[in-house]
Amino acid sequence: MMKSSDLTGKVHLLLTKSKLPDEWRDNGAQPLRNVFEDAGYKTELTLCDNPDAIKEQISTTCAPGDIVAVGGGDGTINAVLDTVISQKVVLIPVPLGTANDFARTLTLPDDLIDAARASIHGQIRMLDIGSVNDKSFVNAASIGVPADARKRINPDLKRTLGAISYAVANWQSWHEMDPLDLTITCGEDDPQAMKLRQVTITNGRYFGGGLRPSETKSPEDGLLHMFAIRDSVDTLSGLDIAAELLFGSVDDSSYATSIQCDTIKVDGEDGAPILADGEIIGKLPAKFAIRAGVLPVFAPNSFVDEVINDGEAKTKTLPQQNEINDVMRDTIDFAVRLEAIYPVAQNSALKSLCHDAAGHLRSHARQLELGVRPFGINAASPDPDLQNLEELRDKVMGWLLGNADTRLANGLKARADTLTTEIHAITLDNQPAEVSKALDGLATEMVDFSKTLDRIAKDL
């Protein structure tokens, strides 16, 4: 596992020439370089023709512990994954692509300067990487409609409409391609024969230009998430699935089958293409696997260790610090989610629960933050656009789906269960009194929240 103490203090800024903003062509991307230099890193800029040139730069000029800020889209990130891992450098994505789903998974802002600043002042995280037939992917790999749609994307439409061009191509493929006869095997479970329109296996939280298959999927959970759409799904139901992917989760969908495991085999339809992170990288049959905690990334919305004051040149340590960081981050994220749901929920009891619980969670998060502050751990604020994005998603889901409150409640239940599991993984007896008290209070809050939510769900 890579730590901040392993860093060399050097940033290699590797940008794809064709994706460079016009205003940076004459100044050598100086505003972006300033972000890293102001943070104390020596920064070198290299403009590259393509992802292969970026890989070559990392292999030949970077030393272990260097930071590589890679500018491009998800295809560029996919291309450099294995090189970043083998060279033992730390990745910062500079979102210059069309979809930028990896940047979304890391909650990076769309603005390039803000994204760079959020990353360089974040914390090193070791993320999972998916693989299919020994080829790596960071976001998702798909068989069926998305892979067929990839060859239909009009380059001019992609430049004009961005991520919307993916939806247009998927619509064409949905109507024109034949279903696939596939056999799916999850881990050691029995194989399942299915006739499917699509199979998508995700590692990150987003794929396909902002689609989100699960409320709780994380690139740190050590699992692959799969959802499969059967051939019996008609066009109207297909629109329902699209709405679920855009604005909710398919985990409770009546139209899609979803599972989670660490290995997945897909047999049948030999030669059918596999799309991963926006590019065709293989064909069936396929074996998918997870490589847990292998990709070092500077991630925002996390927490940074600092040397304590009083003039001491040492840093106090906190037991299970990474686990506590995760609880602090996810508690605030949960509060933001509740605040986004409150104005769009229709059920009055659900609205009341979201309003009250959001305030309680922020109070518990504040108590926990005060408890860990003597150990030099400061909570970073979430992306300010996150709540607006979540609220917009929920509003549109309410327009498109008749049972939006039920779906929102199911998503909250999944998040509550995840946060409860994270809290229970921390041994309170080993923690300082203030930290233990804050975590215990948060655990009680989650028990009360889950009981109330269960009661509400029965009436939805």
Side-chain angles (χ1 to χ4, degrees), residues 28-288:
Q30 190 61 51
L32 191 59
R33 290 159 58 189
N34 287 344
V35 172
F36 301 121
E37 290 170 353
D38 289 347
Y41 291 88
K42 180 181 178 182
T43 304
E44 294 182 359
L45 169 68
T46 304
L47 299 181
C48 303
D49 291 325
N50 51 49
D52 286 337
I54 294 178
K55 288 169 57 179
E56 180 67 18
Q57 281 292 317
I58 296 173
S59 297
T60 58
T61 67
C62 296
D66 286 354
I67 296 171
V68 291
V70 175
D74 292 316
T76 302
I77 297 298
N78 177 284
V80 305
L81 287 177
D82 291 330
T83 306
V84 167
I85 294 169
S86 64
Q87 289 297 112
K88 298 180 180 178
V89 295
V90 183
L91 175 65
I92 288 179
V94 180
L96 289 172
T98 303
N100 300 314
D101 285 311
F102 183 55
R104 279 193 180 96
T105 289
L106 294 176
T107 69
L108 284 173
D110 291 335
D111 182 84
L112 297 177
I113 299 298
D114 289 344
R117 188 176 292 115
S119 293
I120 200 65
H121 293 293
Q123 179 178 330
I124 297 176
R125 305 293 292 198
M126 302 299 295
L127 304 189
D128 303 338
I129 293 298
S131 69
V132 51
N133 295 344
D134 297 324
K135 293 186 177 180
S136 299
F137 64 91
V138 69
N139 295 319
S142 294
I143 302 155
V145 167
D148 180 79
R150 177 64 182 85
K151 62 189 179 186
R152 300 173 185 262
I153 293 176
N154 183 304
D156 294 332
L157 192 65
K158 183 178 179 181
R159 282 191 292 270
T160 304
L161 299 180
I164 296 176
S165 63
Y166 293 96
V168 173
N170 273 273
W171 178 263
Q172 293 174 328
S173 292
W174 179 273
H175 286 282
E176 297 177 15
M177 77 168 292
D178 294 328
L180 305 177
D181 290 305
L182 301 175
T183 300
I184 311 292
T185 307
C186 177
E188 301 299 321
D189 294 348
D190 294 334
Q192 300 183 59
M194 304 179 186
K195 185 179 283 291
L196 302 171
R197 289 179 178 269
Q198 173 179 341
V199 177
T200 295
I201 296 170
T202 63
N203 169 60
R205 193 178 183 195
Y206 294 96
F207 78 102
L211 303 179
R212 185 176 64 188
S214 173
E215 283 274 6
T216 58
K217 185 69 188 82
S218 163
E220 297 178 286
D221 59 15
L223 293 170
L224 295 168
H225 179 281
M226 185 202 84
F227 72 91
I229 303 175
R230 298 182 181 273
D231 72 315
S232 57
V233 175
D234 57 24
T235 298
L236 186 60
S237 300
L239 290 174
D240 199 344
I241 293 174
E244 291 168 346
L245 289 170
L246 277 168
F247 310 115
S249 164
V250 296
D251 283 340
D252 61 336
S253 174
S254 57
Y255 305 110
T257 299
S258 63
I259 57 175
Q260 286 198 123
C261 44
D262 56 1
T263 60
I264 299 171
K265 288 180 60 180
V266 181
D267 296 299
E269 301 286 353
D270 288 5
I274 302 169
L275 178 77
D277 297 338
E279 304 294 335
I280 301 297
I281 67 168
K283 58 186 178 181
L284 291 180
K287 181 176 181 180
F288 296 84

